[in-house]
Amino acid sequence: MKRAYRKKDLPVAEIRRYLEPGPTVLVSSHWKGATNIMTMGWHTVMEFSPSMIGCMITAANYSFELIKKSKECVINIPTYDMIDTIIGIGNSTGAEIDKFSEFGLTAVAAEKVKAPLIKECYANFECKVIDEHLLPKYNFFVLEVVKAHVATSPKYPRTVHYRGDATFMISGSNLSYRGKFKAQNL
């Protein structure tokens, strides 16, 4: 039986608490000797092949200029055991500290971009900026994933999803409905 929910008004600035599209990620960047990591909770898959991701990074963020100038970055997917690191990185600026050193993370050379992978993360997606048309108005980067690295286990990592207001959701049970899908929609 389908449930009907009782509703209340919500300030529109808070809708992101219900729409966050995926796990909180750590974005590493590099430009002319400067390296940084930022915490990001807003990103979206835009296309499957080629693999494209869109993300908004405020121009006030130190990483914004590094990514804008280098036209590349790495999207690293941390797991729940890194929650203090995720929050710490988000609460600090790479303009003042070396976040790899400060948070005990290991920078690993990427294969297709100069930005480093974060060894401690479950997955690393090397990305290149492929469209800058939305940068001036919306600070929106369109990225193509040019190389992906994913841990062999566990199959379903415990990722962290930001709900706003300092609240996170941790990924939980997985349910497969494979038999109900058309093959082209898998």
Side-chain angles (χ1 to χ4, degrees):
M1 176 179 227
K2 294 180 181 158
R3 178 180 178 177
Y5 292 91
R6 205 174 108 192
K7 312 266 183 353
K8 66 177 184 176
D9 288 343
L10 177 75
V12 294
E14 295 180 18
I15 66 162
R16 71 184 186 126
R17 294 181 185 170
Y18 301 92
L19 289 176
E20 290 294 343
T24 300
V25 298
L26 299 175
V27 180
S28 50
S29 54
H30 176 84
W31 175 247
K32 291 191 174 181
T35 301
N36 193 41
I37 308 168
M38 66 169 277
T39 300
M40 180 171 65
W42 195 91
H43 47 82
T44 187
V45 171
M46 296 179 69
E47 182 59 78
F48 302 125
S49 185
S51 181
M52 292 168 45
I53 297 171
C55 62
M56 191 292 270
I57 301 172
T58 180
N61 190 300
Y62 181 65
S63 291
F64 179 88
E65 284 298 321
L66 297 179
I67 296 168
K68 183 179 175 185
K69 289 176 179 172
S70 69
K71 298 185 183 345
E72 60 183 39
C73 64
V74 177
I75 295 177
N76 303 274
I77 301 180
T79 49
Y80 173 66
D81 59 303
M82 295 178 67
I83 189 70
D84 290 334
T85 300
I86 293 165
I87 295 167
I89 287 170
N91 283 335
S92 58
T93 176
E96 297 172 1
I97 63 170
D98 174 346
K99 292 186 186 181
F100 277 96
S101 176
E102 182 75 19
F103 296 100
L105 298 172
T106 309
V108 176
E111 293 180 31
K112 304 219 177 217
V113 299
K114 291 184 180 157
L117 312 176
I118 300 173
K119 184 177 183 177
E120 293 77 9
C121 286
Y122 179 83
N124 318 94
F125 304 144
E126 299 180 36
C127 301
K128 293 193 177 186
V129 176
I130 59 167
D131 190 332
E132 299 178 54
H133 288 92
L134 298 174
L135 273 177
K137 189 170 182 178
Y138 298 108
N139 298 334
F140 191 84
F141 288 90
V142 178
L143 309 169
E144 180 179 352
V145 179
V146 295
K147 181 73 178 176
H149 314 265
V150 180
T152 56
S153 89
K155 184 174 183 179
Y156 300 109
R158 293 189 70 208
T159 53
V160 178
H161 304 252
Y162 191 60
R163 307 279 312 254
D165 199 32
T167 302
F168 290 88
M169 176 178 67
I170 309 305
S171 61
S173 335
N174 294 284
L175 305 170
S176 177
Y177 289 93
R178 191 175 184 90
K180 294 186 177 217
F181 277 70
K182 293 180 178 178
Q184 70 267 21
N185 293 337
L186 289 174

